[in-house]
Amino acid sequence: ELSAAFPQSLTLQVEDRSSFGENLTIEGTLNCDTVCLGDVFEVQSEQGNREAFSLQVTHPRRPCSAVDRCHGFGVRRYSAETGLAGFFLQPVSRGDSFGSNDVLGT
């Protein structure tokens, strides 16, 4: 969505999805329209071979000025206004570490 809104930004056209400094990038329907503060998600391994754990949404992410420096003027504001900047999560139960194809569920 960002690459369509800012086609002049070559850095947003690259397949590296962690260009905003994310620690976790999620594919699917989780966004500002579907996630609320306090929501809890369970993380399970795709193969079921690791202990599941839970993460809770604590607050929305506000992108810093480095986003505009890296991607071009206006990307920071657009991502904040549209909710594409993401949100912060905190662990609420212990478990094993993430894997690249782990499943996030409610």
Side-chain angles (χ1 to χ4, degrees), residues 8-26:
Q8 74 281 9
S9 176
L10 296 177
T11 56
L12 290 174
Q13 308 303 321
V14 179
E15 284 298 314
D16 178 16
R17 294 178 172 257
S18 62
S19 61
F20 274 46
E22 303 91 337
N23 291 320
L24 182 62
T25 302
I26 301 170

Side-chain angles (χ1 to χ4, degrees), residues 5-94:
F6 294 90
Q8 74 281 9
S9 176
L10 296 177
T11 56
L12 290 174
Q13 308 303 321
V14 179
E15 284 298 314
D16 178 16
R17 294 178 172 257
S18 62
S19 61
F20 274 46
E22 303 91 337
N23 291 320
L24 182 62
T25 302
I26 301 170
E27 293 182 3
T29 59
L30 296 179
N31 59 50
C32 66
D33 295 326
T34 61
V35 174
C36 295
L37 297 180
D39 282 355
V40 176
F41 300 98
E42 186 173 84
V43 179
Q44 297 178 339
S45 72
E46 184 179 44
Q47 296 83 20
N49 58 352
R50 293 189 316 273
E51 183 181 353
F53 60 96
S54 298
L55 298 171
Q56 182 178 34
V57 178
T58 58
H59 58 282
R61 183 172 180 266
R62 298 180 65 207
C64 67
S65 59
V67 170
D68 276 350
R69 283 195 307 272
C70 180
H71 301 296
F73 182 75
V75 176
R76 173 185 176 203
R77 181 176 183 172
Y78 181 84
S79 63
E81 289 175 350
T82 59
L84 293 174
F87 38 85
F88 287 99
L89 302 165
Q90 70 178 4
V92 291
S93 70
R94 290 182 157 231

